[in-house]
Amino acid sequence: MERNLTESVYSSVTIQPDSLYQVYAIVAGILDENLVEEDDLVKKDERLIHILNNAPKLNARNAKLALDLAKENYNGSAAILDGIKDEIVAATLKYKNDSINYFRQKNLWEQQIGSKVQYDTKQLNYQLSSNSLRLLKSKYNRTKNELETNVKQAKNNYETALIASKDFVVKSKINGKVYALYKEPGEIVNTMEPLASIGSASKFVIDMLVDEVDIVRISKQQDVIITLDAYNGNTFKGNVSKIYPKKDERNQTFKVEALFENPPKVLYPGLSGEANIIIAKKEKVLTIPKSYLIDDNKVKTDDGLVQVETGLQNLEYIEVVSGITKDTYLYNPE
């Protein structure tokens, strides 16, 4: 029999708001107040949740004390560098004195005046003074760099602590709707558990799970026919908008998204249903019931088993491209 034939891929359906995301806190503490309620419309950067936590404030105070100490060590009257400077001044005087004594003794020794022991002693004192002065200057430069680094690190820690002490209010990242609040005032909040669920208030996405054997036949903009359990008997049209390339190893499926052409007036997150993604359509093609097919490519006729070439198919019928005509009488192999 000739008929119009549509081939499609079946999928389960879950409705979700577009841009849906889980709201997390970046500090731990106690939930002081939910500033919004479920089903409220919110704007981007609107305050959602207030959290109490004294730890960041204490950390900020400690960081300020560390910064003040680092600055005092670097710039203050009791600075470490001042002590090293005093040592350098004393070492410089000793070096000059030992230098004078050494060169005086050297001149005498060259004139064969004095003893070798006196000459060697003056030379050793001169060399020791020179090395001591060089080491103190090196210590000064090294200590200065370390103290400068300590000041910079303490300043960064203090600024970070100040930022953390201000992060007590969780804000919305988008214009949307509050779909869920997971914590009540007085409950403990951490950075690992979501506090709320926010998503688009008007745009909804059709989430579909497509078997891996069918995913290669799916492409963007293909038509989708949707039925929802909440709208029994009604069908809605959509189009494939996104194909996620990573397979879910647990159920061997790929996630595919579609958008409604004309969505229902009322939609809620989590509504379920079914969908058929249209792969191909043909008009007035020769079809037979799929149950008449033997070994995937043969049919039983008055002349016995005849091999046929097949094409499109749906749940009930399959296209016959060649091998028989519309006038061929077929037998049900059952």
Side-chain angles (χ1 to χ4, degrees):
M1 178 183 294
E2 290 185 345
R3 68 178 72 241
N4 296 338
L5 190 63
T6 299
E7 184 174 3
S8 63
V9 169
Y10 171 83
S11 170
S12 59
V13 162
T14 303
I15 304 299
Q16 295 292 0
D18 188 33
S19 304
L20 183 69
Y21 77 98
Q22 303 292 323
V23 177
Y24 289 86
I26 64 173
V27 295
I30 304 296
L31 195 149
D32 179 50
E33 183 182 6
N34 285 320
L35 304 175
V36 294
E37 296 181 357
E38 291 172 330
D39 206 41
D40 279 357
L41 296 178
V42 294
K43 295 182 178 180
K44 184 178 180 180
D45 293 329
E46 183 173 339
R47 294 153 54 95
L48 302 175
I49 298 165
H50 183 248
I51 299 170
L52 292 178
N53 186 4
N54 291 325
K57 294 181 179 179
L58 295 176
N59 291 339
R61 292 175 186 171
N62 291 334
K64 183 63 166 62
L65 292 175
L67 176 60
D68 292 341
L69 178 60
K71 287 181 177 179
E72 179 65 21
N73 289 336
Y74 184 64
N75 297 319
S77 58
I80 297 174
L81 292 178
D82 287 343
I84 301 176
K85 284 181 180 178
D86 292 339
E87 292 181 40
I88 291 175
V89 170
T92 301
L93 293 175
K94 187 175 187 304
Y95 168 73
K96 290 180 178 179
N97 184 62
D98 289 339
S99 175
I100 292 171
N101 290 334
Y102 165 64
F103 285 106
R104 181 183 297 156
Q105 190 65 40
K106 182 180 179 183
N107 290 332
L108 292 173
W109 178 248
E110 290 173 349
Q111 299 174 32
Q112 296 184 348
I113 300 174
S115 67
K116 184 71 165 58
V117 173
Q118 289 176 316
Y119 172 73
D120 290 341
T121 301
K122 295 293 193 300
Q123 184 183 40
L124 178 61
N125 290 338
Y126 168 69
Q127 291 173 342
L128 291 174
S129 298
S130 176
N131 289 336
S132 177
L133 180 59
R134 179 175 54 82
L135 290 174
L136 281 172
K137 289 181 177 178
S138 175
K139 179 182 178 182
Y140 177 84
N141 291 329
R142 185 176 65 253
T143 303
K144 181 180 179 182
N145 290 335
E146 290 176 353
L147 291 175
E148 287 178 344
T149 301
N150 289 340
V151 171
K152 291 177 182 178
Q153 289 178 338
K155 184 178 181 181
N156 290 340
N157 292 337
Y158 177 56
E159 290 176 351
T160 301
L162 282 180
I163 293 172
S165 68
K166 295 176 182 177
D167 286 329
F168 294 127
V169 177
V170 181
K171 298 180 180 180
S172 176
K173 294 181 180 180
I174 63 170
N175 296 328
K177 178 185 286 190
V178 180
Y179 286 99
L181 293 172
Y182 302 121
K183 296 283 187 179
E184 296 294 333
E187 291 191 64
I188 295 176
V189 171
N190 59 47
T191 59
M192 304 299 293
E193 296 178 332
L195 303 180
S197 180
I198 308 289
S200 172
S202 56
K203 186 178 180 181
F204 285 81
V205 174
I206 306 159
D207 281 349
M208 299 177 288
L209 297 178
V210 175
D211 193 278
E212 65 174 323
V213 300
D214 297 316
I215 191 63
V216 295
R217 300 193 291 166
I218 307 299
S219 60
K220 290 184 179 180
Q221 301 305 317
Q222 285 177 333
D223 292 334
V224 183
I225 306 300
I226 307 107
T227 59
L228 298 175
D229 296 340
Y231 288 91
N232 187 27
N234 294 329
T235 59
F236 304 93
K237 288 190 65 177
N239 303 102
V240 174
S241 59
K242 188 173 184 179
I243 302 170
Y244 289 82
K246 181 172 174 56
K247 182 174 75 172
D248 189 332
E249 298 293 343
R250 295 171 300 177
N251 52 26
Q252 303 297 303
T253 61
F254 288 82
K255 182 179 176 182
V256 177
E257 289 183 358
L259 298 176
F260 285 105
E261 287 187 4
N262 293 299
K265 291 183 178 180
V266 180
L267 286 173
Y268 292 99
L271 289 181
S272 60
E274 299 175 335
N276 284 285
I277 304 172
I278 307 302
I279 303 302
K281 288 182 179 181
K282 283 187 178 180
E283 295 183 357
K284 295 183 179 180
V285 296
L286 179 61
T287 63
I288 63 172
K290 294 178 73 172
S291 60
Y292 278 57
L293 204 60
I294 302 171
D295 296 334
D296 294 331
N297 66 347
K298 297 181 182 67
V299 292
K300 187 176 182 181
T301 69
D302 289 333
D303 298 324
L305 289 181
V306 175
Q307 186 169 325
V308 296
E309 181 184 353
T310 59
L312 296 185
Q313 59 180 301
N314 59 23
L315 293 176
E316 297 181 71
Y317 298 97
I318 187 168
E319 176 191 8
V320 177
V321 178
S322 63
I324 62 173
T325 68
K326 65 178 181 179
D327 297 321
T328 304
Y329 186 82
L330 301 181
Y331 293 90
N332 190 335
E334 297 179 355

